[in-house]
C-alpha cells in the first residue's frame, strides 16, 4: 500500500500534460484499430472461399458473407470516427467540468439540503451523462439495426421494440445503477487508502447477485424463456449433462428470432445450479445432434474449468484496476488538466483514470483473446473426444452460413479482435476438410467412448 501511495505522489506532477497524453492514447488506439480494419477489409475483398470451405460454402453464400463483412467494416469506420469526434469534443471543450457544474446547480435548486452531497451529485451527473451519450448513439444504433442488419435479413426488431428496449435499459440503469454507484462512492469515501480491497469485495458480491437475479428479473424484460419441450433434443441434452455430471437444473428455448436471425446457445448459473439456453433460430435451422454437438462444446468449457479460470482472471483484473485507481484518485494534476480546479469528484477521477489506462487495456484485450481462442480449440477437442466431431463441424458450418460470419481473416486483425478462431482453423483442428475427409471423421466418431467413466473429466 505504501508503494501505491508513493507511486501516486510521484505521478501527481503540477503542469503535467495529462490531457495531451490521454488524447494521444485515444488517437493512437483509433489509428491502430483503423490500420487493422484496413488489413481485414482487403481480406473481405477476396473472391473465393478458403480451401477448407470450398466444398461446404457455395459461391453465392461466400459472396454475400463478404459483402456483409465489407458493409460492417465500412460502418465500423464511420462509427469509430463518430465516436472519436465525440470523445475529442468532450475533452477539447471541457464538457465534463461544465456538466458537473450544471448538475451541481440542479442539485442546489431541486434537491433538499439534507440529501446534497457528492453521492447525490454524482448520480445526477452520471444519469445525465448517460442520457446524453445514449442520444448521441441513436444514429449509429438505428443504422446498424434497421439499415445494415435489415439489408442482410438479420433484423427482426421493430422501431417500437427498439425504443422499448432503450427505455427498459435506462430504467434498469436507474434501478440498479443508483445503489451500485452509491455503494461504490460510499466505500471510497469511508475506507481511506485501502478502499480498493473493499471495492473488490463489493464487486464480487455484486457479480454473484447479478448471476442470481439476471435470469429471474432482467432477461424476461427483453426475451421470453420457454422450457424445452419433451423430445429427442431434450433427451440428448439431458443425457449429455448426466454423462458429464453437469449440474443441469433447467433447459430453455429463448425467442432470439424476436430481434435477430442470428443463432447461439449458452449456459449460466451458480456452480451447483446451471441452466442451458438455446436460441429458437438454432433449433429451427439445425439437426438435433448438431445442437447437442454445439452444447458438447459449450459444456466442454465448464468441464475443462474455462469458466472458472476466466472468472478468476476477471476478479484479479478487477482487483488490479481498483488498486491502480488508488494511485490516481488523489492526483490533482490529472483533475486540473481536465478543468477540475476546485472540486475533485471520485467519479471523474475514475473516468479519467480509465482513459489513462487505455494502452494497458489494449494489451489485456489482446492477451485475453489469445487465451479465449486457446480455450475454444480445447472445447472443440473435448467435443471430438465425446464423439461429436462430425456434428460439431456440420453445426459450425451451418452457423457460419446462417450468420454470414467472416469466412477468413487477416492474422493481425484476428489476433486483436477475435475471441474465437475462424472457421477454417476450427475445421482443421477438428480433422474436417470437406468431402475427402468425411471417411476420417466417421472413423473418429466410431471410436467415441460409450461412458463418461471411460475418460478423465
Amino acid at each position: 500500500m505504501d508503494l501505491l501511495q508513493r507511486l501516486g505522489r510521484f505521478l501527481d506532477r503540477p503542469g503535467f500534460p495529462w490531457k495531451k497524453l490521454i488524447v494521444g492514447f485515444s488517437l493512437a488506439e483509433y489509428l491502430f484499430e483503423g490500420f487493422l480494419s484496413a488489413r481485414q477489409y482487403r481480406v473481405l475483398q477476396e473472391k473465393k472461399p478458403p480451401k477448407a470451405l470450398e466444398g461446404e460454402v457455395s459461391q453465392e453464400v461466400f459472396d454475400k458473407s463478404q459483402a456483409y463483412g465489407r458493409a460492417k467494416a465500412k460502418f465500423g469506420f464511420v462509427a469509430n470516427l463518430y465516436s472519436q469526434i465525440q470523445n475529442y469534443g468532450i475533452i477539447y471543450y471541457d464538457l465534463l467540468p461544465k456538466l458537473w457544474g450544471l448538475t451541481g446547480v440542479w442539485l442546489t435548486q431541486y434537491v433538499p439540503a439534507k440529501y446534497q452531497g457528492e453521492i447525490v451529485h454524482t448520480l445526477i451527473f452520471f444519469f445525465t451523462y448517460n442520457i446524453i451519450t445514449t442520444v448521441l448513439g441513436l444514429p449509429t444504433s438505428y443504422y446498424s439495426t434497421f439499415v445494415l442488419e435489415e439489408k442482410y435479413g438479420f433484423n427482426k426488431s421493430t422501431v417500437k421494440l427498439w425504443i422499448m428496449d432503450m427505455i427498459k435499459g435506462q430504467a434498469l440503469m436507474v434501478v440498479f445503477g443508483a445503489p451500485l454507484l452509491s455503494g461504490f462512492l460510499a466505500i471510497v469515501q469511508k475506507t481511506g487508502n485501502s478502499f480498493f480491497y473493499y471495492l473488490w469485495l463489493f464487486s464480487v458480491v455484486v457479480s454473484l447477485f447479478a448471476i442470481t437475479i439476471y435470469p429471474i428479473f432482467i432477461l424476461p424484460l427483453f426475451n421470453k424463456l420457454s422450457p424445452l419441450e419433451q423430445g429427442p433434443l431434450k433427451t440428448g441434452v439431458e443425457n449429455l449433462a448426466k454423462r458429464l455430471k453437469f449440474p443441469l437444473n433447467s433447459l430453455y428455448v429463448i425467442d432470439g428470432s424476436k430481434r435477430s436471425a442470428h443463432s447461439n446457445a449458452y449456459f449460466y448459473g451458480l456452480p451447483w445450479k446451471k441452466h442451458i439456453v438455446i436460441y429458437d433460430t438454432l433449433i429451427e435451422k439445425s439437426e438435433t445432434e448438431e445442437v447437442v454437438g454445439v452444447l458438447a462444446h459449450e459444456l466442454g468449457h465448464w468441464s475443462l474449468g474455462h469458466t472458472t479460470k476466466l472468472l478468476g482472471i476477471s476478479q484479479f483484473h478487477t482487483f488490479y484496476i481498483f488498486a491502480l485507481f488508488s494511485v490516481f484518485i488523489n492526483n490533482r494534476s490529472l483533475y486540473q488538466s481536465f478543468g477540475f480546479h476546485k472540486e475533485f469528484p471520485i467519479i471523474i477521477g475514475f473516468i479519467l483514470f480509465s482513459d489513462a489506462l487505455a494502452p494497458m487495456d489494449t494489451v489485456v484485450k489482446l492477451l485475453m483473446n489469445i487465451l479465449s481462442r486457446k480455450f475454444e480449440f480445447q472445447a472443440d477437442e473435448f467435443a471430438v473426444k465425446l464423439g461429436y466431431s462430425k456434428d460439431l463441424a456440420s453445426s459450425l458450418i451451418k452457423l457460419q452460413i446462417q450468420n454470414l460470419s467472416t469466412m477468413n481473416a487477416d492474422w493481425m486483425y484476428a489476433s486483436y479482435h477475435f475471441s474465437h478462431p475462424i472457421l477454417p482453423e476450427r475445421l482443421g483442428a477438428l480433422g474436417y476438410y470437406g468431402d475427402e475427409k468425411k471417411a476420417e471423421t466417421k472413423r473418429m466418431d466410431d471410436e467415441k467412448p460409450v461412458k463418461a467413466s471411460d475418460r478423465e473429466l
Side-chain angles (χ1 to χ4, degrees):
M1 188 178 298
D2 290 340
L3 176 62
L4 293 176
Q5 292 177 10
R6 289 199 298 270
L7 180 60
R9 289 192 294 268
F10 174 77
L11 293 174
D12 190 3
R13 295 172 173 268
F16 187 83
W18 286 106
K19 181 182 286 189
K20 291 181 180 179
L21 187 67
I22 288 176
V23 169
F25 286 162
S26 177
L27 181 60
E29 182 180 19
Y30 170 73
L31 293 175
F32 174 65
E33 293 188 357
F35 165 72
L36 294 181
S37 296
R39 289 178 60 97
Q40 176 63 9
Y41 196 83
R42 288 198 294 269
V43 175
L44 294 171
Q45 292 177 309
E46 295 176 354
K47 302 300 182 182
K48 293 184 179 181
K51 289 185 178 181
L53 301 180
E54 284 180 349
E56 310 297 334
V57 177
S58 69
Q59 187 64 44
E60 180 184 0
V61 169
F62 178 74
D63 290 342
K64 191 174 182 180
S65 170
Q66 291 288 84
Y68 180 50
R70 290 194 299 272
K72 289 195 296 182
K74 291 176 182 176
F75 172 70
F77 283 125
V78 175
N80 290 339
L81 177 60
Y82 179 56
S83 177
Q84 188 69 17
I85 292 172
Q86 284 182 47
N87 292 336
Y88 184 76
I90 289 170
I91 293 173
Y92 182 80
Y93 292 104
D94 285 333
L95 295 185
L96 288 179
K98 290 176 181 177
L99 182 59
W100 181 262
L102 177 61
T103 52
V105 172
W106 295 346
L107 178 73
T108 57
Q109 288 182 346
Y110 303 110
V111 177
K114 65 178 181 179
Y115 296 116
Q116 292 180 16
E118 184 177 352
I119 291 180
V120 175
H121 189 176
T122 298
L123 293 177
I124 298 173
F125 168 84
F126 177 77
F127 292 127
T128 303
Y129 183 78
N130 182 65
I131 290 172
I132 292 171
T133 55
T134 300
V135 171
L136 290 174
L138 289 179
T140 52
S141 176
Y142 182 90
Y143 184 89
S144 175
T145 302
F146 296 105
V147 178
L148 179 57
E149 295 295 297
E150 184 79 28
K151 180 179 179 180
Y152 290 92
F154 291 119
N155 176 49
K156 304 299 179 183
S157 185
T158 63
V159 173
K160 179 181 178 181
L161 184 60
W162 179 67
I163 293 173
M164 289 303 299
D165 282 349
M166 280 192 294
I167 293 173
K168 291 175 183 177
Q170 293 300 313
L172 289 171
M173 179 71 71
V174 173
V175 172
F176 294 103
L180 293 178
L181 183 54
S182 298
F184 174 91
L185 297 170
I187 289 171
V188 175
Q189 288 178 342
K190 295 181 182 301
T191 55
N193 293 329
S194 60
F195 72 84
F196 57 92
Y197 290 112
Y198 300 98
L199 272 186
W200 176 72
L201 291 173
F202 179 67
S203 72
V204 171
V205 173
V206 169
S207 298
L208 294 175
F209 177 71
I211 291 172
T212 304
I213 70 165
Y214 176 78
I216 301 172
F217 297 107
I218 299 177
L219 186 58
L221 294 175
F222 299 92
N223 289 95
K224 180 181 179 182
L225 289 178
S226 304
L228 180 62
E229 295 180 356
Q230 292 291 339
L233 178 57
K234 185 174 184 179
T235 301
V237 176
E238 289 176 340
N239 288 341
L240 175 65
K242 290 178 183 176
R243 181 177 176 184
L244 300 177
K245 298 181 180 179
F246 179 76
L248 178 62
N249 181 262
S250 52
L251 267 169
Y252 293 114
V253 178
I254 190 171
D255 60 341
S257 58
K258 181 179 180 181
R259 289 175 175 79
S260 174
H262 292 295
S263 301
N264 201 0
Y266 63 91
F267 67 87
Y268 67 91
L270 298 170
W272 57 88
K273 187 178 181 181
K274 299 290 187 181
H275 313 272
I276 291 177
V277 177
I278 309 171
Y279 277 55
D280 55 355
T281 48
L282 179 62
I283 295 174
E284 178 186 346
K285 298 175 181 178
S286 304
E287 300 295 330
T288 296
E289 285 302 304
E290 291 172 344
V291 177
V292 177
V294 170
L295 290 172
H297 165 93
E298 295 299 329
L299 298 193
H301 286 304
W302 170 82
S303 184
L304 295 170
H306 294 165
T307 49
T308 303
K309 292 172 184 175
L310 290 175
L311 178 62
I313 292 172
S314 173
Q315 292 302 325
F316 173 79
H317 183 249
T318 301
F319 181 83
Y320 151 80
I321 292 295
F322 288 151
L324 274 184
F325 178 44
S326 71
V327 172
F328 285 86
I329 190 170
N330 295 315
N331 191 319
R332 296 295 185 257
S333 63
L334 176 61
Y335 284 97
Q336 291 167 357
S337 183
F338 284 85
F340 289 87
H341 299 284
K342 295 181 179 180
E343 292 184 271
F344 309 100
I346 295 170
I347 187 65
I348 298 298
F350 192 74
I351 292 173
L352 299 180
F353 158 72
S354 299
D355 289 339
L357 207 64
M360 198 169 294
D361 284 344
T362 298
V363 175
V364 170
K365 176 182 177 180
L366 173 64
L367 295 177
M368 288 303 299
N369 279 338
I370 291 173
L371 179 63
S372 176
R373 288 193 297 273
K374 177 183 178 181
F375 284 172
E376 292 301 320
F377 280 126
Q378 290 177 351
D380 282 350
E381 183 182 8
F382 182 87
V384 169
K385 290 179 178 178
L386 292 177
Y388 291 101
S389 57
K390 178 181 177 181
D391 299 314
L392 179 58
S394 176
S395 182
L396 289 175
I397 293 168
K398 284 186 177 181
L399 286 172
Q400 190 85 4
I401 293 171
Q402 292 163 15
N403 295 332
L404 292 180
S405 301
T406 303
M407 304 284 178
N408 204 355
D410 171 75
W411 71 270
M412 286 182 65
Y413 181 90
S415 297
Y416 181 74
H417 282 291
F418 288 178
S419 61
H420 286 58
I422 59 175
L423 182 60
E425 293 175 337
R426 295 183 73 175
L427 294 180
L430 288 170
Y432 187 97
Y433 297 95
D435 292 337
E436 72 273 14
K437 289 292 181 182
K438 288 183 179 177
E440 174 66 12
T441 303
K442 182 177 184 302
R443 183 190 65 77
M444 292 169 66
D445 284 340
D446 289 341
E447 294 177 357
K448 68 182 181 181
V450 177
K451 297 182 294 182
S453 58
D454 291 336
R455 63 183 306 278
E456 200 174 277
L457 295 178

